[in-house]
Amino acid sequence: MNDDQSVAGPPETFPGSLVRLQELAHNLWWSWKPEARRLFETLDPTLWRLSHHNPVKLLQDMKPERLAALAEDPAFIRQYSAVLKTYDEYMASKGTWYATQYPTISNGTIAYFSAEFGLHNSIPIYSGGLGILAGDHCKEASDLGIPLVGIGFMYPQGYFHQRITPEGWQEAVYEPVNRLELPIHQVIMPSGAPCQVQIEMGNRTVSALVWHVRVGRVVLYLIDTDVPDNAPTDRELSARLYGGDQEVRLCQEILLGIGGVRVLRALGLSPTVWHANEGHAAFLTLERIRELVLAGHTHADASELVRHSTVFTTHTPVPAGHDVFPTHLIERYFHGYWDQLGLTREAFLRLGEHPDLPEAGFNMTALAMRMSAHLNGVSREHGRISRTMWRSLWPGLPQDLVPIRSITNGIHVPTWIAPEMHHLYSKYLGPDWADRSDDPAVWHRVTEIPDGELWAVRQTLKRKLISFIRERARAGWVQGHLEASQVLAAGTLLDPEALTIGFARRFATYKRATLLFSDLERLKDLLQNRWRPVQIVFAGKAHPADEPARYFIHQVYNFCKDHGLGGHIAFLKNYDMHLAKFLVQGVDVWLNTPRPPMEASGTSGQKAALNGAPHLSVLDGWWHEGYDGANGWAIPLPTDLHDPHALDAHDAEHLYRIIEQDVVPLYYDRDRDGIPRGWIQIVKDAIRTVAPRFCARRMVKEYMQLSYAPATARPPTAW
Ligand SMILES: *Cc1c(COP(=O)(O)O)cnc(C)c1O
C-alpha cells in the first residue's frame, strides 16, 4: 500500500507553509495532545466550536484570507512548528516501552478487530463503552509503541442523534455522514486502484472498500460496503452500528471477521496476533483456518495454529449480550464454506454450540472461546463470572482452572483528563507523570497538592460544565428545538455551588437509572434543601429498539420537568464523548447503579475519579476491585441477589443513606477558608488509588504481557 497516494491534496488556496496542518488533522493524535488541540482552536475559535472540534471540517471551512494571514504570523508559525516537532518526535520515537521491552519481536503486528471504535466525536463509529474501550486501547498501544492495527467498520449513517419530544420520548434521527469531513482516507493500492475486497455472503458476493484512520502510530482500517457494485441492501449493510435484524447482523459479522482478514491480506499484512474484541469478530478464526487448509494444513493443525495466535476478550455477563444465530441462517451463509475448512456441516455447527444449550443456535462467544488460546474477561469479578458461565466448554476442569483470566478495563488518561487537572498534576506529580501513569508512586504525590488549589480546580471544572449545559439549552431554545418546559429539563437552572451528582450511560434497564427516584419524598428533601442542595445530571441514549429503556428516559425526563424536582435535575441529550468529557470532569460525584452482577467493568467512573470526582457505586464491575473503603462509596451487595424487587429496595435504601449521611455532610463541611477538607481527602484518595490501576497504560501492558507476547511466542508459521 502506498499511503502518500491516499492523502488528498490540499485545496489550491492552502498556503504551502501550512500544508502539514492537513496531516495533523488526519491523525487523531491531535485529540489527546493539548498543544495540538490549542493549535486548531487558534486557527479560528468560532469555526472550531461550530465544527464540534473537527479539524478536517475546520480546515475546509476556513477563509483563505485567514489562512494566508496566519502563514505570515510569526507567533502562529512558532506555535505550529512546535506542535509539528512534538508530532514528528512522537511518530519517529524508537525508545518506546514496547521497543525496550520486546526487542526481539518488534515486527510482529497485532490485528485488533472490533465492531466499534470510540476515538473522537468527529468520527461516528462507536455507540458506547465497548467502542470507547477499543479507542482507548488503540491510543494507548500507539503511546506504548505496540505495533497494532485495528479493523472495524465505516458506518455511513453514523450515530443516531437523540431527540427528546416535549413528552419525554426519545426519537432516533440518523444523518448520513459526509466522508470528506472525517479524518479518514480511502486506501489506494500501489497500482492506483482503490483497495477493494470481495466476501461471499451465501449465494451472493459483496464488495467492500477500505478507509484508514491514523491514531498516532496505529492505523485503523474501516470496511465500507457502500460501493456502487453492491445491491442496495448490501450497500446498507454497514450503514448502522447494531441497526438491523439478526440476518443483517450476521452479515455484518461475516464482513468484520472474514472480510477483515481479507482486508489485511489485501494490504499485504501478516499479523502474528489476532485479537477479537467481543464475539462480533469471531469469524476471523474460521477465515484463518480456511487459509491454512487451502495452503495444505489439516484442519486439526490449522485450528491449533489459529488458536495459539488468537486473543479473545468477552465483555458481558448478560446472557442476551452474546450473539446467537439460528442454525438456518448459519446454513444459508456457510453452506459453501465448511468444506473449505475441511469440516462437515455437523462439525462446523459444533464450533458454535453452547454445551448447555446445544439447540439454541450458533453462539459467537462459544466459537471465540473454542478458537482462542488467550481468553479474558474485563474485570476480576467478570473473569470469575465468565469462568462460571463458560465452564462447560472445559468439561472435567474445576471452575477455578477454566482458562479465562481477567484484564480489567482502564482509560486512556490523556483523552479523559481535563486540561486544568493535567496542569495541576504536571505541577505536583513531576513532569513525567503522564508517561508513568500506571506507577502508583507517581500518584502518591497527589497528597502533596494543596487542598485549596485542588478545590479551586474542581470548582472551575464544575462551572465549565454548567456553562456548557446552559449554553446548549440556550442554543436549543434560540434555534427553536426546545419548548419552554424542555429548557428547564435541559439544565438551565443548575447551580454551580450545589453538590452535583452525574449519571450518564446507556439507558439499559439493568443500569437502573430510576433507582434514585424510588422514594420521591426522600429525593425532594435532598434536592430542595436550602442550605445543602443536591442536583443531578443525567445523560444517555436508549437503543432505539429497547422499549423499556426508552420508557426509563421518559420517566427521568418527566421528573426533570416536574415542579418539585425541575431545576435540580437535568437530562442532557446526545450523550457522546464530547458531553462525557464535560460530565466526568465537572460533576462532584459519579453515580453507578447497575443490577449486580450485570456490569462487566464500566469505565466512566474511572474517568470521573481521574478528574477528582469520586465514585458512588454498587460493588460491581471494576468498583468491586477498585473500592478500598476510603476512596469513594459503595452500595454493599445484599445476601440474596435473586429477588429483583428486594434487591432494588435494598440498593435504594443504601443509596439514600449514603447520600444523606456521608456525601452531603462531607461536601458541605467547610473550614474557615471555605474548603471541605474531609471531602478533598476522599478526592485525593480516589485519584491516588484509581488512576494508576485503572488506566489504559496498565491495561494494554497486561494485554501485551499476558496475551500478545505468549501468542506471538509460537514457532513462526507461513502467516
Ligand atoms: C466512557 C463512556 C462509556 C462507557 O461508560 P460505562 O461506565 O461503561 O457506562 C459510554 N459512553 C461514553 C460516551 C463514554 O464516554
Side-chain angles (χ1 to χ4, degrees):
M1 185 194 65
N2 183 341
D3 277 348
D4 294 339
Q5 293 182 22
S6 60
V7 175
E12 301 295 306
T13 52
F14 214 86
S17 58
L18 298 186
V19 74
R20 293 195 67 201
L21 282 174
Q22 294 283 358
E23 187 183 339
L24 288 176
H26 282 86
N27 188 329
L28 287 156
W29 173 85
W30 70 263
S31 70
W32 73 92
K33 287 292 160 183
E35 58 268 44
R37 289 203 299 258
R38 270 197 301 277
L39 180 73
F40 286 120
E41 187 177 4
T42 311
L43 286 174
D44 190 324
T46 306
L47 283 181
W48 179 239
R49 195 164 41 81
L50 292 177
S51 73
H52 303 290
H53 300 185
N54 175 353
V56 176
K57 174 115 176 67
L58 169 76
L59 292 179
Q60 285 166 4
D61 291 349
M62 276 187 69
K63 292 227 169 26
E65 308 84 77
R66 170 84 183 143
L67 278 169
L70 286 167
E72 302 298 323
D73 175 351
F76 178 78
I77 295 296
R78 260 197 309 280
Q79 190 186 355
Y80 169 60
S81 310
V83 172
L84 279 180
K85 181 160 174 283
T86 313
Y87 174 69
D88 289 336
E89 281 168 6
Y90 178 90
M91 295 300 286
S93 170
K94 299 271 181 286
T96 62
W97 174 82
Y98 176 81
T100 319
Q101 295 290 315
Y102 297 95
T104 54
I105 56 168
S106 55
N107 45 16
T109 303
I110 295 149
Y112 182 89
F113 285 59
S114 180
E116 43 174 313
F117 287 89
L119 298 162
H120 185 261
N121 249 24
S122 58
I123 169 156
I125 54 170
Y126 71 92
S127 86
L130 180 72
I132 308 279
L133 183 83
D136 280 9
H137 192 104
C138 290
K139 291 171 182 172
E140 196 65 53
S142 169
D143 289 347
L144 291 170
I146 295 176
L148 186 123
V149 297
I151 286 280
F153 282 121
M154 173 64 218
Y155 297 103
Q157 294 196 0
Y159 315 115
F160 80 79
H161 289 266
Q162 183 186 43
R163 269 200 212 141
I164 309 285
T165 67
E167 294 70 42
W169 293 106
Q170 168 185 292
E171 290 178 346
V173 184
Y174 287 89
E175 285 166 24
V177 303
N178 179 352
R179 291 176 182 73
L180 296 177
E181 292 177 352
L182 304 188
I184 62 175
H185 286 300
Q186 197 172 342
V187 178
I188 306 292
M189 303 306 287
S191 66
C195 176
Q196 193 157 357
V197 296
Q198 261 73 42
I199 304 107
E200 302 78 42
M201 295 266 177
N203 297 327
R204 60 191 206 274
T205 299
V206 174
S207 284
L209 286 172
V210 187
W211 300 83
H212 75 239
V213 186
R214 295 192 180 284
V215 186
R217 288 180 275 242
V218 164
V219 180
L220 170 57
Y221 295 98
L222 304 179
I223 302 170
D224 184 356
T225 61
D226 188 10
V227 178
D229 310 357
N230 285 338
T233 46
D234 290 332
R235 294 188 69 157
E236 294 256 307
L237 260 188
S238 70
R240 290 179 189 180
L241 183 53
Y242 314 134
D245 59 12
Q246 237 177 357
E247 184 163 354
V248 169
R249 196 163 167 119
L250 175 62
C251 291
Q252 286 187 334
E253 296 189 8
I254 292 172
L255 264 179
L256 180 62
I258 297 177
V261 174
R262 294 192 186 169
V263 166
L264 293 172
R265 299 310 185 199
L267 297 170
L269 292 173
S270 312
T272 47
V273 180
W274 303 70
H275 187 170
N277 187 41
E278 191 49 300
H280 309 134
F283 290 136
L284 79 86
T285 58
L286 302 184
E287 178 65 3
R288 292 183 55 225
I289 294 178
R290 193 184 69 88
E291 292 179 330
L292 288 162
V293 168
L294 207 65
H297 289 267
T298 63
H299 175 85
D301 280 354
S303 151
E304 258 329 275
L305 285 170
V306 167
R307 260 176 50 76
H308 278 283
S309 51
T310 305
V311 177
F312 171 58
T313 304
T314 177
H315 284 269
T316 177
V318 183
H322 299 263
D323 281 322
V324 181
F325 295 111
T327 306
H328 73 268
L329 274 186
I330 295 291
E331 286 184 316
R332 184 178 314 157
Y333 285 92
F334 287 91
H335 64 253
Y337 197 82
W338 50 65
D339 280 353
Q340 303 179 55
L341 307 190
L343 289 179
T344 61
R345 169 186 174 277
E346 287 65 34
F348 183 87
L349 291 177
R350 264 201 304 278
L351 291 175
E353 191 178 282
H354 191 310
D356 303 336
L357 305 158
E359 304 301 315
F362 197 92
N363 186 308
M364 294 298 283
T365 307
L367 171 68
M369 295 262 178
R370 285 196 177 93
M371 297 313 306
S372 317
H374 314 275
L375 305 170
N376 72 283
V378 292
S379 69
R380 206 191 289 157
E381 186 62 6
H382 178 234
R384 191 187 61 76
I385 291 168
S386 301
R387 288 189 286 278
T388 321
M389 268 178 91
W390 297 100
R391 63 180 298 182
S392 54
L393 282 171
W394 292 270
L397 264 196
Q399 190 166 310
D400 47 343
L401 291 185
V402 168
I404 305 175
R405 62 159 59 93
S406 64
I407 298 180
T408 303
N409 286 345
I411 53 164
H412 183 243
V413 169
T415 295
W416 295 105
I417 193 165
E420 293 83 351
M421 291 301 279
H422 195 294
H423 185 75
L424 195 64
Y425 293 162
S426 298
K427 191 164 157 194
Y428 291 100
L429 308 190
D432 63 341
W433 74 270
D435 291 329
R436 296 171 52 201
S437 57
D438 57 335
D439 180 353
V442 166
W443 294 97
H444 223 85
R445 302 188 203 131
V446 164
T447 47
E448 290 161 27
I449 303 177
D451 290 355
E453 226 174 303
L454 181 52
W455 178 240
V457 171
R458 294 291 319 141
Q459 297 295 91
T460 305
L461 292 174
K462 184 155 63 175
R463 277 195 296 273
K464 274 179 78 168
L465 165 67
I466 289 181
S467 22
F468 173 77
I469 292 174
R470 287 185 183 154
E471 174 54 29
R472 281 199 354 164
R474 198 190 63 81
W477 170 254
V478 171
Q479 292 160 10
H481 301 321
L482 294 181
E483 294 190 0
S485 63
Q486 292 182 286
V487 178
L488 178 69
T492 28
L493 294 185
L494 293 178
D495 173 4
E497 301 296 322
L499 168 62
T500 305
I501 299 177
F503 182 101
R505 47 187 43 85
R506 217 157 32 82
F507 265 68
T509 45
Y510 80 82
K511 304 234 184 193
R512 294 191 299 183
T514 53
L515 194 68
L516 205 51
F517 297 97
S518 50
D519 185 340
L520 281 179
E521 288 314 309
R522 213 162 160 184
L523 180 62
K524 277 185 190 167
D525 284 344
L526 283 167
L527 303 186
Q528 295 173 345
N529 189 305
R530 209 169 291 175
W531 293 276
R532 303 190 307 182
V534 176
Q535 59 192 5
I536 308 161
V537 182
F538 285 92
K541 292 175 172 178
H543 189 285
D546 185 348
E547 282 305 322
R550 284 182 72 236
Y551 185 67
F552 262 43
I553 291 186
H554 173 75
Q555 281 181 299
V556 169
Y557 198 78
N558 285 317
F559 287 126
C560 298
K561 296 193 317 185
D562 176 275
H563 263 294
L565 304 170
H568 307 287
I569 310 180
F571 185 89
L572 311 179
K573 67 186 170 82
N574 275 326
Y575 181 50
D576 59 15
M577 285 180 79
H578 188 57
L579 177 55
K581 283 187 193 177
F582 278 96
L583 285 169
V584 298
Q585 296 169 4
V587 301
D588 295 304
V589 177
W590 195 255
L591 178 65
N592 183 41
T593 51
R595 183 169 285 140
M598 309 275 240
E599 184 87 291
S601 169
T603 53
S604 53
Q606 303 169 351
K607 302 169 193 167
L610 170 72
N611 286 290
H615 205 207
L616 192 185
S617 170
V618 171
L619 274 178
D620 200 17
W622 77 276
W623 197 228
H624 204 92
E625 66 204 82
Y627 177 61
D628 71 359
N631 59 354
W633 300 273
I635 297 170
L637 290 176
T639 38
D640 176 15
L641 287 175
H642 295 292
D643 174 357
H645 295 292
L647 177 70
D648 288 356
H650 167 276
D651 287 359
E653 173 58 31
H654 279 273
L655 175 58
Y656 285 119
R657 218 187 293 160
I658 291 170
I659 298 177
E660 291 161 353
Q661 297 178 8
D662 299 333
V663 177
V664 171
L666 204 57
Y667 185 83
Y668 284 105
D669 180 17
R670 310 286 164 90
D671 71 0
R672 267 203 312 227
D673 299 326
I675 298 168
R677 301 280 171 185
W679 182 265
I680 293 292
Q681 190 53 48
I682 294 207
V683 168
K684 286 184 176 177
D685 280 343
I687 298 168
R688 184 177 55 78
T689 57
V690 173
R693 281 177 58 203
F694 301 98
C695 61
R697 184 153 291 229
R698 189 272 310 144
M699 169 181 77
V700 175
K701 281 184 181 177
E702 278 185 19
Y703 274 104
M704 191 64 224
Q705 288 155 348
L706 301 175
S707 297
Y708 297 161
T712 308
R714 288 285 309 157
T717 71
W719 310 90

